[in-house]
Amino acid sequence: MKQIVFASNNPHKLRELRELAGADMAILSLDDIGCHDDIPETADTFEGNALLKARWVKERYGYDCFADDSGLEVDALGGEPGVRSARYAGEGHDSAANNAKLLSRLSGTTDRRARFRTAIALLAGNDEPRFFNGSVEGEILTEAHGEGGFGYDPLFRPLGWAKTFAEATPDEKNAVSHRGNAVRLLMDFLSQQPWQ
């Protein structure tokens, strides 16, 4: 079975990735390899942050690795929260605080167009970095709906849907999500590689 490190300890992301990877690949977390570092995410793009994390693991721990950076971009806010999606309400705040800030910033705004974006950086073998990108278009609702998902999922309704990501089953979300789209590209690439 192929093994690769996903540079994350986020249980929600790990669960999604392992579901998408299926039985043919073992996805190891940072905890699984004994990495408890606070890996800096100082780039100003999703691709840059993903590469920083993947390089950190590859250079310090020697594992083939991929990392992602994901976020929400809201048109009326000039792309905010973007790369600061997880820290939108400030360091140490949670999803509820981030969602509250987003709703406050959009108060009175009729243009609610938004998208989730994911960039994955892969460092495997001696190859140059490879990037896999995914996105999903939608809109921000005026109040939260649903108990599932995480982050901004209760506020985000994909185009053509009658419900938010937080109201969707994991399979429904993975079928169209930004991360699902990027991970399918990654897994398709990895399945064709000879390394173990």
Side-chain angles (χ1 to χ4, degrees), residues 86-144:
R87 303 170 299 281
Y88 194 40
E91 297 293 339
H93 285 79
D94 60 9
S95 294
N98 289 335
N99 285 333
K101 179 174 180 178
L102 179 62
L103 289 177
S104 174
R105 296 270 288 129
L106 285 174
S107 178
T109 303
T110 55
D111 180 3
R112 315 288 285 197
R113 291 172 299 162
R115 75 206 45 80
F116 274 122
R117 285 190 53 224
T118 289
I120 293 175
L122 169 69
L123 290 174
N126 295 316
D127 292 345
E128 290 296 307
R130 291 184 180 270
F131 294 93
F132 305 86
N133 295 284
S135 64
V136 58
E137 298 287 330
E139 64 181 340
I140 303 300
L141 303 184
T142 56
E143 60 183 26

Side-chain angles (χ1 to χ4, degrees), residues 2-195:
K2 292 181 180 178
Q3 283 191 337
I4 192 164
V5 174
F6 175 37
S8 179
N9 278 323
N10 181 312
H12 303 291
K13 286 185 179 183
L14 284 161
R15 184 177 63 246
E16 281 186 8
L17 263 291
R18 287 170 174 154
E19 287 169 356
L20 288 162
D24 295 332
M25 187 169 301
I27 307 290
L28 305 177
S29 69
L30 291 175
D31 195 49
D32 291 334
I33 65 167
C35 174
H36 305 287
D37 309 339
D38 185 14
I39 303 175
E41 296 180 53
T42 54
D44 57 6
T45 65
F46 296 121
E47 291 83 1
N49 278 332
L51 185 56
L52 282 173
K53 291 186 279 187
R55 273 214 174 104
W56 186 278
V57 171
K58 181 80 170 167
E59 291 174 358
R60 289 166 176 77
Y61 294 85
Y63 287 91
D64 287 337
C65 177
F66 68 92
D68 84 316
D69 195 33
S70 305
L72 178 70
E73 296 176 335
V74 180
D75 288 355
L77 301 179
E80 283 185 16
V83 295
R84 296 210 35 90
S85 291
R87 303 170 299 281
Y88 194 40
E91 297 293 339
H93 285 79
D94 60 9
S95 294
N98 289 335
N99 285 333
K101 179 174 180 178
L102 179 62
L103 289 177
S104 174
R105 296 270 288 129
L106 285 174
S107 178
T109 303
T110 55
D111 180 3
R112 315 288 285 197
R113 291 172 299 162
R115 75 206 45 80
F116 274 122
R117 285 190 53 224
T118 289
I120 293 175
L122 169 69
L123 290 174
N126 295 316
D127 292 345
E128 290 296 307
R130 291 184 180 270
F131 294 93
F132 305 86
N133 295 284
S135 64
V136 58
E137 298 287 330
E139 64 181 340
I140 303 300
L141 303 184
T142 56
E143 60 183 26
H145 293 271
E147 301 295 324
F150 64 100
Y152 299 96
D153 286 356
L155 296 177
F156 184 82
R157 181 169 63 200
L159 284 182
W161 281 35
K163 57 187 174 183
T164 66
F165 268 167
E167 295 172 297
T169 68
D171 285 344
E172 288 173 330
K173 179 183 174 184
N174 287 340
V176 302
S177 78
H178 52 305
R179 189 170 295 107
N181 291 333
V183 169
R184 275 185 287 279
L185 294 172
L186 169 70
M187 292 303 165
D188 183 59
F189 174 79
L190 290 178
S191 70
Q192 301 172 44
Q193 302 310 302
W195 54 268

